[in-house]
Amino acid sequence: MGFAGAMVVAMAVDALVGWPAPLFARIGHPVTWLGRLIAAIDAAWNRASDPPALRRAAGVAGALVAIALAVAIGWMLQSVLSSGWIQIALVGVLAWPLVALRSLYDHVAAVATPLQAGDIAGAREAVSRIVGRDPAVLDEAGIARAAIESLAENASDGIVAPVFWGALFGLPGIFGYKAINTLDSMIGHRSERHEAFGWAAARIDDVANFIPARLTGFLFVLLAPQRSEALSCMTRDARRHRSPNAGWPEAAMAGALGVRLSGPRTYHGSVTNEPWLNDGARDPHPADLVEGLTIYRRAMLLLAGLLAILAFA
């Protein structure tokens, strides 16, 4: 239960200070360190001349190496820490960089501010920093939709999931999860280069996010203005999403706000036809993005409160 308390510390520190820009400029960030390791593995082991089966095997090995190294570093750090309250505080501080609570809020709020002011160009520029779709083709509703989807999905991937695994296993859990999530974001794509090599990274990420994604969805349901609509939308539409996990928080948020999310989107000039979540509802407005941030903030407070009860009650 001490690990649950450490995650409360991590969330509190991140909410207060985030990851300061001067610190990032000086030493980078643990996720960028992981990124360099994964990029090196990809460059060395993902050879275009190899047959797909060999590239898949190499991807499995590469993913396991990256995850095992992250877990081992977490275990070594945790093993030398004192027990009791000191351990809770130190594990929390060491876990803090891997909880993106404030960063997610700030990035989505940076979209909401110009969007509310009618500054579509500014909102497009801000949303391009958090989504991969073509911002030039997004109108007001498209920008709001993209930002709400990013908020919902990354609440699971960036906060709930690392906190979940950290609460279970401490530093090995949260370090291992961030390695899994970074692997998926870098090589878990169905591109020509990573179709085979990134197969294991994508599958492992699906397993690691199975419970956290559903937990995030239920947190949004509990904080929704209309809980029954949010619950109904989540249980009905979550499985329609292309991802086995992202649909849960996104569908819950769609129902909570009474808007439709997902649907067709454009990447690099090509339209991808995705099914709607909460089909038949209206398109989101700028005010819905602000309301989504409110639900997110309250959901994270609820999560911290539940962890505190689990740890200290």
Side-chain angles (χ1 to χ4, degrees):
M1 294 304 98
F3 294 148
M7 294 305 107
V8 176
V9 173
M11 292 178 74
V13 175
D14 187 71
L16 289 172
V17 301
W19 189 251
L23 188 60
F24 180 83
R26 181 174 293 273
I27 66 171
H29 187 275
V31 172
T32 65
W33 307 341
L34 279 168
R36 286 196 288 270
L37 170 65
I38 294 165
I41 292 173
D42 184 29
W45 294 5
N46 187 13
R47 294 185 290 268
S49 59
D50 290 339
L54 183 57
R55 293 177 78 175
R56 178 177 287 198
V60 172
L64 293 178
V65 166
I67 296 165
L69 181 59
V71 169
I73 292 172
W75 179 82
M76 287 188 292
L77 287 171
Q78 191 164 282
S79 67
V80 301
L81 299 178
S82 301
S83 60
W85 290 100
I86 294 177
Q87 184 189 53
I88 291 174
L90 291 177
V91 168
V93 170
L94 289 170
W96 147 50
L98 305 179
V99 180
L101 193 153
R102 179 163 182 160
S103 174
L104 177 57
Y105 183 92
D106 288 346
H107 278 86
V108 177
V111 180
T113 299
L115 195 62
Q116 282 189 296
D119 180 6
I120 299 298
R124 283 173 176 161
E125 181 181 357
V127 82
S128 70
R129 302 187 190 114
I130 59 174
V131 299
R133 66 197 70 177
D134 294 345
V137 302
L138 296 177
D139 57 9
E140 180 183 85
I143 294 169
R145 182 180 298 114
I148 292 169
E149 290 171 11
S150 180
L151 175 67
E153 181 178 1
N154 286 293
S156 175
D157 293 355
I159 301 97
V160 178
V163 165
F164 174 82
W165 291 108
L168 286 179
F169 302 113
L171 293 179
I174 195 169
F175 282 21
Y177 172 77
K178 291 306 290 188
I180 291 169
N181 189 243
T182 307
L183 279 160
D184 180 63
S185 66
M186 291 184 65
I187 65 173
H189 310 296
R190 291 184 175 178
S191 62
E192 182 179 354
R193 175 168 178 79
H194 293 121
E195 177 75 30
F197 189 78
W199 174 85
R203 300 292 83 74
I204 295 169
D205 185 77
D206 288 344
V207 173
N209 281 294
F210 185 88
I211 294 175
R214 286 146 182 82
L215 175 58
T216 307
F218 279 107
L219 287 172
F220 290 159
V221 167
L222 290 174
L223 277 303
Q226 301 293 331
R227 295 188 186 94
S228 60
E229 284 81 355
L231 179 61
S232 175
C233 183
M234 181 178 72
T235 55
R236 182 187 67 240
D237 289 351
R239 294 176 181 85
R240 302 183 67 200
H241 198 281
R242 68 188 184 282
S243 164
N245 294 318
W248 290 83
E250 287 188 27
M253 186 64 83
L257 299 174
V259 301
R260 63 176 185 170
L261 298 178
S262 196
R265 70 278 307 276
T266 303
Y267 296 98
H268 308 296
S270 299
V271 177
T272 301
N273 288 309
E274 301 289 346
W276 290 103
L277 303 178
N278 207 21
D279 191 15
R282 61 178 175 81
D283 286 324
H285 305 310
D288 296 310
L289 181 52
V290 176
E291 179 64 22
L293 283 166
T294 299
I295 293 173
Y296 162 77
R297 187 171 59 246
R298 291 173 178 171
M300 296 305 102
L301 285 171
L302 176 59
L303 176 63
L306 292 172
L307 288 169
I309 292 171
L310 185 63
F312 306 123

